[in-house]
Amino acid sequence: MTETEAADVTPNTVDENLTFADLGLDDRLLRGLAKLNFTKPTPVQAKSIPLALSGKDVLAKARTGSGKTAAFMLPLIHKILAVKDSLPANAPEATATRGLVLVPTVELAGQVTAFTNNILLFCGRAVSVLNIAGKQNDQVQQPLLATQPDIIVSTPSRILAQLKLNAVDLKTHFQTLVIDEADLVCNYDYEEDVKELLTFLPKIFQSFLMSATLGDDVDSLKQLVLRSPAILKMEDKTMDSTWDNLKQLYTICNETDKYLILYVLLKLKLLKGKCIIFVNDIERCYRLKLFLEQFSIPSVVLNSELPLNSRVHIVEEFNKGVYDYMIATDEGGLKGEKEEDSATQDIEAADSNEGEEEEGDKSKEDEEDKDEDEDDDIPEGDLEMEFDGSEGEDLDGSDDEMEAMMKTSDNEGEGDEADAMAEMQGTSAKSTDSKKRKQPEEESTKPEPESSTPTKSKKKNGPKKDQEYGVSRGIDFVNVAAVINFDFPPTAKSYTHRVGRTARGGQMGTSLSFVVTAEEKEKSLKASQIHGGGGWNNTQGDDEAVFNRVVKQQEVSGCTINPYTIPMQQLAGFRYRMDDAMRAVTKASIREARLKELKSEMLNSEKLRAHFEDKPKDLEFLRHDKTLHPTRVQPHMKHVPGYMMPKVQAVSSQKIGEIPEGLGQVMYNKKTQNSVRKARQGKGGNKGSGGKKNDPLKKFSFGSGGGNKGYKGKRQKTA
Ligand code: AMP
């Protein structure tokens, strides 16, 4: 499809007085929207809903946070309600799947489904939605599919697997296909699945394609699914994640100092509020968690190795304010995200033009021809992997089994136990999902076996990490005060996605990125060889090169990344403690912790599975941030004596230029059971409880700190 240039570019603003009712939506949906407190449509909603209701295919460049889910879901449901209203009561054709929403990750599938259920609040039983992305057991899934839910949410591979098994009919009354986060769908190599599943759809249906970019990466999908689409290029600025509200900071340091700085920032509460700390692999997740545990700083980890139910619950609880610090990997979400060269990135940033292009060139030229072509394109052979439905049946979570699982995850081994664990987790690792997926470079996981035989022996290479896991994209984190790139992201694109988890919903947010220069990386590597352990170093990527690209990209968008200067000499007292903590956290202890966590999350996951069915109360007592400490925690490390207090500038969320200087008050935020309970009940709970009377952390001074002059090519090194 060739996109015609916008003839009349319309501004990305919405008439102040425009309401959802003006868009002609069904009353039941309007009531659902009112219940959600959605008073006005966002730009992407205001523009796409009328086009969609008029029957047009829509291609929208819109990011998470722009309100894109409602933009496609409202017209999709509206159309279903209209059809059902027009049918006589009990008409057999009232029961049919009419909408399919394809998403790249199971997390996103859960989020889209939850949102849809909220919107459907006043639709009674008229419309149902089924999420099949995370469930792997056909015996559970197929009866649900047999009820012919009105809307199915899935990853492309999962629905394709069910279509091939004739578990669902999308031909007879099908109306709407949505591909959400289409660029990521492409990066996950799902195009072949999409292509194949189109053969199960009727010739005429309406399509929506929502994508963060409209570049070459989504070209093939555009051509596959869209016909003369209306093209919406929404501004990069999302409705609730504005770059104006985001204070971006960086600090140049070495690998060891990252730990020191983070320890000081968290211990002294120089970073207030909920914080997501990104690292680049799972081992580093646990290393950092154990390190922080040495100072009695609790944190929760989120990575692709954890069972899906646990991941969903962790995000829910984090959003409620139960945990302050989340250490996350985004390896799944970055899958296949190629690093663009700077030129491409420039174009991409410049592509934040607002506006709308009507009538892109026809993409589905001739449906009949396309169908024929597809038959030719689809590789021969059945690529499904089937499982025998023995979910969790023969596992007791013994250490051996967990070891096997982790080995597979680490690509150090493979085994049946590990595969069975995958089933127990309900992750897609053991998926019926087909074909090779691009693996993130750092994982270099073996391709999934291509087999249609449901035997475990054929699943040997099944990786334990969830191939459809994604944190930095799509997930709607709530009230995140700060994002820390503890490990600098491997691509400029992933930087954007990571920092986009804060400064949402009109709130202020801060990102702080640790950048280790090539020279420092080299030095740390050499030092680690001398001292016999490189585990503390992030050896992946070229921080400096990616950072330079990020800076350029931000400049094009009119944003600056400012240096955060830390007087390192003032942290000398903390350095001894850091050394102590590092000594305590050994490779063996990390491995043990990871095992322990997995084991406990498997149990959690089983409880959660039950919860999701019928026992919500049980959940209140499930915590994911329990200390793992396989190594001894020294009690004195919990507190910081007054003489150690440094003068360090707080990493606050004020706008640039509004950073407070001079004396500051820091609340000692010791959480009581009550505050946790309140958080769980959705009553906030991160306000600090006032703290102990004589706690040295209660008051301390922080200095004017370093300059806040913005990145000007030559960076300052932390003192
Ligand atoms: P999305 O881009 O679909 O992930 O939506 C981002 C966030 O915006 C979600 O928390 C939605 O619930 C919220 N949202 C979507 N549309 C609206 C609206 N019209 N008014 C207020 N909030 C909205």
Side-chain angles (χ1 to χ4, degrees):
M1 182 185 68
T2 49
E3 288 172 24
T4 50
E5 278 309 306
D8 51 341
V9 177
T10 43
N12 190 16
T13 47
V14 184
D15 175 356
E16 286 253 312
N17 301 316
L18 189 78
T19 64
F20 281 108
D22 296 332
L23 302 178
L25 289 167
D26 189 284
D27 271 357
R28 287 161 283 187
L29 292 176
L30 295 179
R31 290 175 65 196
L33 288 164
K35 181 88 182 158
L36 288 174
N37 280 329
F38 287 13
T39 47
K40 288 191 304 182
T42 66
V44 69
Q45 292 161 2
K47 292 209 166 99
S48 71
I49 291 173
L51 290 164
L53 292 180
S54 74
K56 287 203 78 67
D57 281 6
V58 175
L59 169 61
K61 179 184 176 217
R63 287 192 188 281
T64 306
S66 60
K68 66 182 171 58
T69 315
F72 62 73
M73 204 45 103
L74 289 168
L76 191 160
I77 301 170
H78 176 96
K79 282 190 342 184
I80 294 174
L81 288 169
V83 171
K84 290 199 158 183
D85 286 351
S86 70
L87 292 170
N90 299 328
E93 62 267 41
T95 310
T97 299
R98 293 186 156 83
L100 172 65
V101 180
L102 297 177
V103 292
T105 65
V106 282
E107 278 79 5
L108 200 51
Q111 191 172 293
V112 168
T113 310
F115 176 79
T116 308
N117 278 320
N118 285 336
I119 288 284
L120 288 174
L121 195 64
F122 294 95
C123 295
R125 288 163 176 249
V127 182
S128 58
V129 58
L130 177 67
N131 171 10
I132 64 167
K135 304 219 178 82
Q136 298 301 314
N137 189 337
D138 288 343
Q139 275 139 23
V140 173
Q141 207 161 78
Q142 288 180 357
L144 295 172
L145 284 168
T147 64
Q148 301 186 65
D150 297 278
I151 305 164
I152 293 175
V153 181
S154 178
T155 54
S157 54
R158 190 65 197 145
I159 185 68
L160 180 60
Q162 296 298 359
L163 282 164
K164 284 178 172 175
L165 294 171
N166 282 329
V168 57
D169 166 31
L170 295 183
K171 206 131 215 168
T172 322
H173 297 289
F174 191 76
Q175 289 181 321
T176 315
L177 171 69
V178 178
I179 304 184
D180 193 13
E181 303 273 0
D183 54 323
L184 208 51
V185 165
C186 293
N187 286 337
Y188 273 70
D189 272 359
Y190 274 135
E191 288 118 305
E192 288 301 313
D193 291 339
V194 175
K195 201 181 221 182
E196 195 171 356
L197 81 78
L198 286 174
T199 63
F200 291 90
L201 301 185
K203 293 209 183 317
I204 308 288
F205 57 88
Q206 189 178 16
S207 300
F208 294 80
L209 211 141
M210 320 300 279
S211 181
T213 60
L214 294 185
D216 294 347
D217 46 349
V218 287
D219 255 351
S220 57
L221 270 192
K222 286 195 283 189
Q223 293 186 25
L224 275 177
V225 303
L226 296 171
R227 171 182 287 202
S228 303
I231 302 173
L232 302 172
K233 283 188 178 177
M234 308 313 297
E235 254 185 318
D236 256 1
K237 288 180 179 183
T238 60
M239 71 123 190
D240 73 350
S241 173
T242 59
W243 295 104
D244 296 345
N245 288 352
L246 175 67
K247 185 171 79 172
Q248 299 181 69
L249 301 172
Y250 73 91
T251 193
I252 306 280
C253 56
N254 64 39
E255 286 291 343
T256 316
D257 286 353
K258 284 181 182 181
Y259 292 88
L260 182 59
I261 297 167
L262 185 70
Y263 154 42
V264 171
L265 292 183
L266 300 190
K267 195 71 209 173
L268 302 187
K269 302 273 178 199
L270 293 167
L271 228 166
K272 293 178 201 165
K274 281 193 302 189
C275 177
I276 303 180
I277 303 160
F278 280 105
V279 293
N280 285 354
D281 68 46
I282 298 177
E283 199 260 3
R284 290 177 68 73
C285 248
Y286 290 98
R287 186 178 288 273
L288 190 54
K289 180 177 166 68
L290 291 189
F291 173 77
L292 294 176
E293 266 180 21
Q294 288 290 310
F295 308 105
S296 302
I297 300 171
S299 61
V300 62
V301 295
L302 186 67
N303 60 56
S304 60
E305 192 176 68
L306 296 172
L308 173 64
N309 287 339
S310 298
R311 286 178 351 229
V312 170
H313 191 233
I314 287 167
V315 172
E316 272 175 11
E317 297 280 82
F318 184 68
N319 278 346
K320 283 187 204 162
V322 174
Y323 314 116
D324 277 345
Y325 306 125
M326 173 185 281
I327 303 173
T329 57
D330 53 359
E331 78 269 43
L334 302 176
K335 190 189 305 293
E337 278 195 8
K338 304 146 279 190
E339 182 61 279
E340 307 86 347
D341 59 25
S342 40
T344 323
Q345 297 242 355
D346 287 349
I347 292 164
E348 168 109 36
D351 191 27
S352 59
N353 296 340
E354 50 201 50
E356 171 184 339
E357 289 179 27
E358 279 276 357
E359 300 292 341
D361 278 352
K362 57 258 149 227
S363 54
K364 286 189 279 190
E365 283 289 354
D366 185 323
E367 295 283 342
E368 284 82 5
D369 286 357
K370 188 191 72 183
D371 285 352
E372 279 157 26
D373 290 344
E374 277 164 3
D375 289 342
D376 293 335
D377 289 342
I378 297 165
E380 286 282 297
D382 189 350
L383 300 174
E384 287 173 45
M385 288 163 56
E386 259 319 306
F387 286 80
D388 53 11
S390 58
E391 197 161 336
E393 65 193 356
D394 54 353
L395 289 162
D396 60 8
S398 71
D399 281 4
D400 287 351
E401 284 164 345
M402 297 288 175
E403 283 280 4
M405 182 172 164
M406 280 170 52
K407 268 189 186 150
T408 317
S409 171
D410 289 341
N411 304 317
E412 289 165 15
E414 42 189 60
D416 289 353
E417 297 90 341
D419 294 325
M421 272 308 191
E423 283 179 51
M424 190 168 162
Q425 286 185 68
T427 64
S428 58
K430 48 151 186 173
S431 73
T432 50
D433 298 355
S434 52
K435 304 171 222 176
K436 66 279 162 192
R437 299 256 171 275
K438 274 183 202 165
Q439 304 300 330
E441 267 170 39
E442 67 267 29
E443 289 181 26
S444 65
T445 324
K446 295 159 202 156
E448 292 173 13
E450 298 184 355
S451 161
S452 60
T453 319
T455 55
K456 286 181 178 179
S457 57
K458 302 238 174 171
K459 302 175 287 165
K460 276 201 164 176
N461 295 340
K464 281 319 320 65
K465 291 174 194 168
D466 191 337
Q467 300 301 301
E468 292 169 348
Y469 161 88
V471 167
S472 70
R473 284 286 295 269
I475 299 302
D476 192 20
F477 284 106
V478 177
N479 292 335
V480 176
V483 164
I484 296 189
N485 284 316
F486 187 80
D487 291 337
F488 203 78
T491 69
K493 215 175 188 180
S494 60
Y495 175 90
T496 314
H497 296 313
R498 284 184 182 185
V499 300
R501 302 304 98 202
T502 183
R504 298 166 72 82
Q507 294 180 334
M508 306 305 292
T510 304
S511 71
L512 173 64
S513 302
F514 294 136
V515 182
V516 182
T517 60
E519 194 189 329
E520 285 295 347
K521 266 202 173 154
E522 185 72 28
K523 266 196 220 160
S524 333
L525 207 65
K526 272 193 190 138
S528 69
Q529 279 158 7
I530 297 163
H531 303 302
W536 294 96
N537 302 330
N538 167 37
T539 48
Q540 294 165 25
D542 181 346
D543 290 10
E544 242 184 326
V546 183
F547 178 71
N548 286 330
R549 277 199 286 272
V550 169
V551 169
K552 252 194 206 163
Q553 197 182 51
Q554 296 296 320
E555 265 172 12
V556 175
S557 315
C559 303
T560 46
I561 310 182
N562 296 275
Y564 176 69
T565 313
I566 301 159
M568 295 303 285
Q569 68 282 1
Q570 285 201 36
L571 308 189
F574 292 85
R575 200 177 279 280
Y576 295 112
R577 290 177 170 221
M578 177 196 74
D579 287 341
D580 261 6
M582 282 181 154
R583 266 192 294 276
V585 180
T586 60
K587 251 199 156 127
S589 68
I590 294 167
R591 194 161 182 80
E592 196 186 322
R594 199 165 153 185
L595 259 170
K596 196 170 161 185
E597 171 91 335
L598 264 180
K599 205 168 171 178
S600 98
E601 286 303 337
M602 303 304 281
L603 296 171
N604 277 354
S605 190
E606 282 305 297
K607 285 186 204 160
L608 286 162
R609 196 196 305 273
H611 152 74
F612 287 134
E613 279 147 26
D614 59 3
K615 289 184 196 147
K617 281 275 161 207
D618 285 1
L619 265 193
E620 309 255 317
F621 306 100
L622 268 188
R623 285 200 71 101
H624 304 272
D625 66 341
K626 288 192 189 119
T627 45
L628 293 172
H629 51 74
T631 43
R632 196 171 69 86
V633 173
Q634 303 174 60
H636 76 275
M637 304 265 269
K638 185 173 179 179
H639 303 289
V640 180
Y643 64 83
M644 273 174 67
M645 288 303 174
K647 289 187 174 185
V648 181
Q649 183 171 300
V651 184
S652 59
S653 296
Q654 270 90 349
K655 278 193 176 173
I656 306 294
E658 291 178 10
I659 295 173
E661 298 192 346
L663 277 180
Q665 171 97 10
V666 172
M667 301 302 289
Y668 181 56
N669 190 10
K670 188 173 192 308
K671 234 178 219 160
T672 60
Q673 279 304 102
N674 270 349
S675 72
V676 170
R677 200 175 317 126
K678 271 188 197 155
R680 285 211 149 109
Q681 288 162 358
K683 293 176 185 161
N686 194 17
K687 298 187 181 87
S689 56
K692 290 175 187 167
K693 264 191 181 137
N694 294 322
D695 198 292
L697 296 184
K698 213 171 169 191
K699 223 175 197 184
F700 75 98
S701 62
F702 59 90
S704 50
N708 196 7
K709 300 180 189 88
Y711 179 78
K712 295 240 166 52
K714 188 163 167 53
R715 295 182 300 274
Q716 299 170 8
K717 200 173 160 112
T718 46

